[in-house]
Amino acid sequence: MIVRILGEGQYHLDDSAQDKLGPLDAELGAAVDRGDNTAFQAALDGALALVRAGAPVPAETIEPSDLILPREGASLDEVRKLLAEDGIILS
Amino acid sequence: MSVMKRVSLIFKAKANKALDRMEDPRETLDYSYQQQLEMLTKVRRGVADVATSRKRVELQMNQLQQETGKREDQARKALASGREDLAREALQRKGSLQTQMNELQTQYAQLQDQEEKLTIAAQRLQSKVDAFRTRKETIKATYTAAEAQTRINEAFSGISEEMSDVGLAIQRAEDKTAQMQARAGAIDELLASGALEDNVSGRTDDIQAELDRMNTSSDIELELAKMKGELTSAAEPPKEIESNGANGEAKPTQAAQSEQQGEGS
């Protein structure tokens, strides 16, 4: 599976890493819904570390990602904007 | 739904919307390639803009550093002249300069970080654009409509995702640059208001004016004392001449006496 970290690039994740990512992603979603910034940052940092441990996708590979993680240090508001769709620049 | 899945679906939706606008898949490839080149130009301009902002912050930091040193120097001079009130004022201003300095340092680090990230993003996008160009030509050369559609969609979504990512990075860098410009403007205003010494116009601040005034008045006192001294010493020699003159009147007599004595012997 390919996961992108916004602002950093893409990584290949193996099955065991994917299994660990699931719960973190769920925590991320719950924190966004609750508006809990502390829990959100903790889940984001955990997910970032896990994804970064994967194998970087070579720069010349052009493939869409299965999952996309917000950038490191992204605020709750920023992620809400991202999920509201108009936060993304059309290119 | 998972946040990460939602974000990726939103990115894909953007790509699909753009794809749907194209009638001929091959047109999509060329159109996308044009956009990629534009995005490359944009991200490079972004790197240059951030670098310019970073350099401006650097200049202001140097200026603030100089001002801080000047205030400290003023405080020392004021204290040496027994003006603790003036020294206190100078140190207070040094304190507010340091607050500005700390904030500029944070900003400088952020701009450096943005510059680094954008530079890497530009390199990554360049590699992808090169790869896309190759793939585009291959697809065009072996074109069969049904097969091409899938391959084009894949390449398009992949590159579109990258471009959205780079687009966000550029936007973020622009935000940081705008923040920097607002602060730079505030510091310029502070300089212009005379709270800091403006090196360009050469205007001096009130503490410096007071120190200068004290210096000038002590210079004046010194010069006055010197002049008085000169006047006194200029007035004394005539007295000596006068007394010498009085003796001198007596001298001829003495001389005459000794002459007489000499003649006598």
Side-chain angles (χ1 to χ4, degrees):
Chain A
M1 179 170 73
I2 295 178
V3 182
R4 173 182 293 270
I5 298 175
L6 288 179
E8 286 182 39
Q10 295 169 302
Y11 294 86
H12 278 294
L13 251 62
D14 60 23
D15 290 349
S16 82
Q18 279 180 50
D19 291 344
K20 285 180 202 151
L21 194 59
L24 285 169
D25 196 8
E27 272 174 49
L28 212 57
V32 170
D33 292 342
R34 283 202 313 273
D36 184 343
N37 194 49
T38 315
F40 171 77
Q41 294 299 335
L44 181 58
D45 287 347
L48 287 169
L50 190 69
V51 175
R52 283 183 191 135
V57 173
E60 59 279 5
T61 302
I62 305 170
E63 246 179 292
S65 313
D66 300 291
L67 298 174
I68 298 180
L69 252 184
R71 65 170 187 92
E72 180 178 25
S75 66
L76 258 181
D77 272 354
E78 209 177 312
V79 175
R80 284 211 184 95
K81 230 174 110 189
L82 207 60
L83 293 170
E85 208 170 334
D86 53 359
I88 296 171
I89 300 156
L90 231 184
S91 47
Chain B
M1 197 198 290
S2 131
V3 169
M4 296 170 71
K5 191 75 206 165
R6 265 157 76 193
V7 176
S8 90
L9 285 178
I10 285 164
F11 274 69
K12 281 191 180 83
K14 293 277 176 193
N16 287 336
K17 220 182 258 177
L19 262 175
D20 288 346
R21 286 201 298 261
M22 305 295 148
E23 284 184 3
D24 183 343
R26 284 172 292 185
E27 203 184 300
T28 312
L29 293 171
D30 291 330
Y31 174 71
S32 174
Y33 186 63
Q34 278 311 311
Q35 284 195 313
Q36 290 162 35
L37 295 180
E38 276 168 31
M39 188 58 108
L40 264 180
T41 309
K42 222 169 143 184
V43 70
R44 288 197 186 117
R45 198 179 301 136
V47 172
D49 284 350
V50 176
T52 307
S53 296
R54 182 181 49 77
K55 278 172 200 152
R56 185 161 178 207
V57 169
E58 215 171 288
L59 274 177
Q60 284 202 323
M61 279 164 73
N62 288 341
Q63 214 171 348
L64 281 180
Q65 191 66 54
Q66 270 179 17
E67 294 299 324
T68 306
K70 213 170 280 171
R71 291 297 179 202
E72 206 178 303
D73 197 40
Q74 285 178 338
R76 217 167 263 135
K77 278 181 185 150
L79 212 56
S81 313
R83 287 289 305 272
E84 200 177 319
D85 58 327
L86 207 56
R88 203 177 291 277
E89 177 68 29
L91 288 178
Q92 256 165 20
R93 298 214 189 148
K94 186 190 151 194
S96 69
L97 286 173
Q98 269 168 339
T99 311
Q100 292 285 350
M101 188 66 163
N102 291 343
E103 281 169 26
L104 273 188
Q105 269 162 349
T106 310
Q107 205 162 36
Y108 185 80
Q110 284 175 350
L111 285 172
Q112 242 180 346
D113 186 50
Q114 291 299 318
E115 197 178 334
E116 213 170 286
K117 279 186 177 145
L118 269 192
T119 306
I120 294 169
Q123 285 164 357
R124 201 170 48 225
L125 185 61
Q126 177 71 69
S127 303
K128 288 235 190 309
V129 169
D130 290 344
F132 187 90
R133 192 185 53 226
T134 311
R135 205 193 280 194
K136 170 169 89 91
E137 294 314 319
T138 315
I139 293 173
K140 273 178 156 182
T142 61
Y143 184 75
T144 62
E147 182 214 20
Q149 189 66 64
T150 335
R151 290 170 68 193
I152 288 170
N153 285 2
E154 202 184 80
F156 188 83
S157 315
I159 199 84
S160 159
E161 185 185 304
E162 188 70 38
M163 292 214 289
S164 294
D165 190 354
V166 173
L168 282 172
I170 293 173
Q171 196 181 43
R172 200 170 150 64
E174 277 171 359
D175 287 350
K176 286 279 168 232
T177 307
Q179 277 172 24
M180 185 291 296
Q181 271 158 353
R183 176 161 299 279
I187 291 176
D188 283 345
E189 247 170 66
L190 205 61
L191 284 164
S193 74
L196 304 172
E197 187 173 338
D198 187 346
N199 292 326
V200 182
S201 72
R203 178 177 48 206
T204 50
D205 60 275
D206 51 352
I207 294 182
Q208 195 55 49
E210 179 71 11
L211 280 171
D212 288 349
R213 198 189 56 73
M214 281 160 56
N215 251 339
T216 313
S217 56
S218 74
D219 282 351
I220 290 171
E221 290 307 321
L222 270 175
E223 211 168 335
L224 274 176
K226 198 175 144 201
M227 281 177 173
K228 275 181 192 162
E230 279 169 9
L231 274 177
T232 320
S233 54
E236 271 167 4
K239 267 183 204 162
E240 274 170 27
I241 291 163
E242 265 170 43
S243 59
N244 281 348
N247 291 339
E249 272 175 2
K251 263 179 191 167
T253 330
Q254 282 171 353
Q257 276 172 356
S258 54
E259 261 174 28
Q260 280 166 3
Q261 278 170 2
E263 270 172 17
S265 58

